[in-house]
Amino acid sequence: MDFPCLWLKLLLPLVAALDFNYHHQEGMEAFLKNVAQNYSSITHLHSIGKSVKGRHLWVLVVGRSPKEHRIGIPEFKYVANMHGDETVGRELLLHLIDHFVTSDGKDPEITNLINSTRIHIMPSMNPDGFEAVRKPDCYYSIGRENYNQYDLNRNFPDAFEYNNVSRQPETVAVMKWLNTETFVLSANLHGGALVASYPFDNGVPATGALYSRSLTPDDDVFQYLAHTYASRNPNMKKGDECKSKMNFPNGVTNGYSWYPLQGGMQDYNYIWGQCFEITLELSCCKYPREEKLPSFWNNNKASLIEYMKQVHLGVKGQVFDQNGNPLPHVIVEVQDRKHICPYRTNKYGEYYLLLLPGSYIINVTVPGHEPYLTKVIIPEKSQNFSALKKDILLPFRGKLDSIPASNPSCPMIPLYRNLPSHSAATKPSLFLFLVTLLHIFFKQ
């Protein structure tokens, strides 16, 4: 046996260090396949579909059980390159993958995240657009849209107005993907500004549009999530780094306050996917020069990791009947913050509710029975990489009525269109904003 060669192999990393260059489809695929092969115990590579031109939409899953969902382990995702000419996020996600697989077992924070979270990373949702860019530009390049010339971030069903566009293969693939996983938290990565933007992107008077904003029932959580990311990015938190753009106090904005957007992925995730998603604009220039990529990684690395940890906010658990059987498709909501499309347990009877510290009443609704209410107190100091665990045993006697697998009350139509303006959350709240900032300050 050649012992010097053996020792050399043991000392060398399993995957060659990822360079700071733009990786086209062939190079990206080679990197992802190499990672999946060499770190097979913590990664799983699969395609959720194909682009118009037949390019795979690759997703790399990182976790202790990457191929399947585990009870109590929340699902997190990052998606980049919806617009083919917005390139920084694509490269950052490749470097995030590289950092995770090479830090497992060495960095306690990364190891704990891998142990406690199933992480899905899609570096490019629009590979056709990326490959179509011939002359990179800071403001606009041919390649923003997909091959059929559709803007993928205007291509989803909209809860505020009819979005009668032809649904594209990339969009359909993502919509199906959302139905196969229990995603809890997400972010989509863009370029052309430097800001963390939170829902809603579209709006009606019922969500606060008359106040030039459009707020969700979970606005406190969304403000906290956006500030969590922006506050750790030294340039984003300044709010005025892109001199030709508008200023964003603390690097954060409500999407609708910035500009109304119809058919966006962010709102679709929250309303129909039960997944909290924000939009991260990471660079003033959409397609910056390659030599700037290391500084983008240095400025975003801490934010990317800290944001992922927020998937463990709030409370999680399973809902059981009196015989200990988990109940799927049961509505589990917090009183006074009901979603227009009610959040339900998954096929394992699990629920995940992202909440800031405080006292809440959880309302569990089963067809044919009175709502079951239970109190939960989210502590100020979150548990170690885990939301508060609270299983719910329903006290109902007799056999529970059959619970439908689908949700007929949530068709993909403008659900908010005829809703009266009634929510206090639609009004500007300085108190809420200050509470959110204080919570972030004391966690740092």
Side-chain angles (χ1 to χ4, degrees):
M1 181 180 291
D2 192 339
F3 285 101
C5 288
L6 177 62
W7 277 106
L8 183 62
K9 288 181 179 179
L10 292 174
L11 290 171
L12 288 174
L14 293 175
V15 177
L18 185 69
D19 55 17
F20 281 100
N21 295 315
Y22 285 119
H23 295 81
H24 286 264
Q25 188 76 2
E26 185 177 348
M28 183 182 74
E29 287 184 356
F31 169 74
L32 294 174
K33 289 177 179 178
N34 198 13
V35 168
Q37 178 181 350
N38 289 298
Y39 297 91
S40 58
S41 64
I42 60 167
T43 65
H44 171 59
L45 179 65
H46 68 109
S47 171
I48 66 164
K50 291 184 178 181
S51 67
V52 176
K53 291 282 285 181
R55 294 184 172 96
H56 282 286
L57 305 177
W58 293 110
V59 173
L60 188 85
V61 185
V62 182
R64 214 46 82 187
S65 179
K67 292 186 178 180
E68 58 186 6
H69 177 75
R70 286 193 294 160
I71 302 297
I73 302 297
E75 311 274 349
F76 176 93
K77 66 180 170 70
Y78 274 132
V79 176
N81 205 211
M82 283 187 83
H83 295 144
D85 65 338
E86 297 174 6
T87 56
V88 171
R90 176 184 173 114
E91 296 303 320
L92 290 187
L93 292 190
L94 295 180
H95 281 276
L96 185 68
I97 289 169
D98 185 58
H99 179 64
F100 264 67
V101 297
T102 57
S103 299
D104 183 36
K106 303 171 186 175
D107 183 325
E109 181 179 51
I110 300 302
T111 304
N112 281 329
L113 263 173
I114 293 174
N115 290 341
S116 62
T117 321
R118 191 160 173 251
I119 303 155
H120 305 248
I121 299 177
M122 179 190 281
S124 182
M125 184 180 162
N126 185 7
D128 293 351
F130 181 81
E131 299 299 330
V133 177
R134 291 292 176 262
K135 294 182 178 180
D137 188 83
C138 276
Y139 303 105
Y140 178 83
S141 303
I142 293 175
R144 173 184 172 87
E145 292 84 11
N146 76 342
Y147 183 77
N148 288 338
Q149 298 302 303
Y150 280 87
D151 186 326
L152 296 181
N153 204 31
R154 309 290 191 280
N155 198 239
F156 286 82
D158 193 274
F160 303 94
E161 54 187 317
Y162 285 101
N163 190 27
N164 297 318
V165 295
S166 175
R167 214 71 69 206
Q168 296 300 293
E170 298 90 343
T171 309
V172 172
V174 168
M175 291 169 65
K176 290 180 178 177
W177 183 37
L178 287 175
N179 287 334
T180 63
E181 305 287 355
T182 307
F183 288 118
V184 178
L185 181 63
S186 173
N188 68 84
L189 281 55
H190 286 259
L194 204 55
V195 67
S197 174
Y198 60 89
F200 287 121
D201 274 333
N202 208 348
V204 292
T207 60
L210 297 179
Y211 296 99
S212 298
R213 58 173 58 192
S214 184
L215 308 183
T216 72
D218 298 290
D219 187 64
D220 56 340
V221 179
F222 273 117
Q223 287 199 42
Y224 168 76
L225 291 170
H227 279 280
T228 294
Y229 194 96
S231 65
R232 287 164 177 80
N233 182 311
N235 290 329
M236 185 181 290
K237 68 181 180 181
K238 295 176 184 176
D240 61 353
E241 280 293 284
C242 301
K243 303 304 180 184
S244 62
K245 309 285 185 179
M246 66 182 292
N247 291 345
F248 301 105
N250 302 303
V252 169
T253 187
N254 171 250
Y256 185 87
S257 294
W258 186 8
Y259 62 90
L261 185 158
Q262 180 188 23
M265 185 168 72
Q266 175 174 269
D267 289 1
Y268 180 85
N269 267 267
Y270 177 69
I271 292 169
W272 285 290
Q274 297 191 188
C275 176
F276 285 42
E277 177 166 295
I278 67 172
T279 297
L280 301 171
E281 301 278 353
L282 301 177
S283 58
C284 302
C285 179
K286 289 176 181 285
Y287 203 134
R289 298 190 305 274
E290 286 180 330
E291 55 263 33
K292 292 185 175 293
L293 291 175
S295 66
F296 283 116
W297 170 244
N298 291 333
N299 288 340
N300 285 279
K301 177 183 172 183
S303 294
L304 287 166
I305 294 170
E306 189 64 26
Y307 183 78
M308 295 170 72
K309 290 160 63 176
Q310 308 316 308
V311 75
H312 298 290
L313 282 176
V315 61
K316 66 181 181 181
Q318 287 177 280
V319 179
F320 299 97
D321 65 15
Q322 281 197 318
N323 297 320
N325 301 310
L327 295 175
H329 317 301
V330 170
I331 294 174
V332 181
E333 300 260 77
V334 173
Q335 232 176 20
D336 301 324
R337 58 173 69 204
K338 294 181 180 179
H339 303 98
I340 196 161
C341 183
Y343 279 24
R344 295 173 180 263
T345 55
N346 65 14
K347 63 182 180 181
Y348 306 106
E350 289 180 290
Y351 72 94
Y352 295 86
L353 297 173
L354 294 183
L355 299 166
L356 298 183
S359 178
Y360 303 91
I361 302 296
I362 296 178
N363 187 332
V364 183
T365 306
V366 177
H369 296 271
E370 291 294 317
Y372 175 75
L373 305 180
T374 182
K375 185 177 181 179
V376 62
I377 298 176
I378 310 298
E380 282 291 336
K381 188 175 182 181
S382 60
Q383 301 180 45
N384 188 28
F385 292 92
S386 175
L388 176 70
K389 190 173 189 299
K390 184 177 179 64
D391 290 336
I392 299 172
L393 179 65
L394 296 181
F396 307 141
R397 295 184 179 275
K399 186 178 180 180
L400 293 176
D401 294 340
S402 176
I403 302 170
S406 61
N407 187 353
S409 66
C410 292
M412 292 183 187
I413 61 172
L415 301 173
Y416 275 101
R417 195 170 191 181
N418 298 316
L419 196 68
S421 182
H422 67 282
S423 173
T426 66
K427 299 178 181 179
S429 172
L430 178 61
F431 172 76
L432 182 62
F433 179 72
L434 292 174
V435 167
T436 303
L437 285 181
L438 285 171
H439 184 63
I440 295 169
F441 176 79
F442 285 114
K443 282 199 70 174
Q444 289 180 333

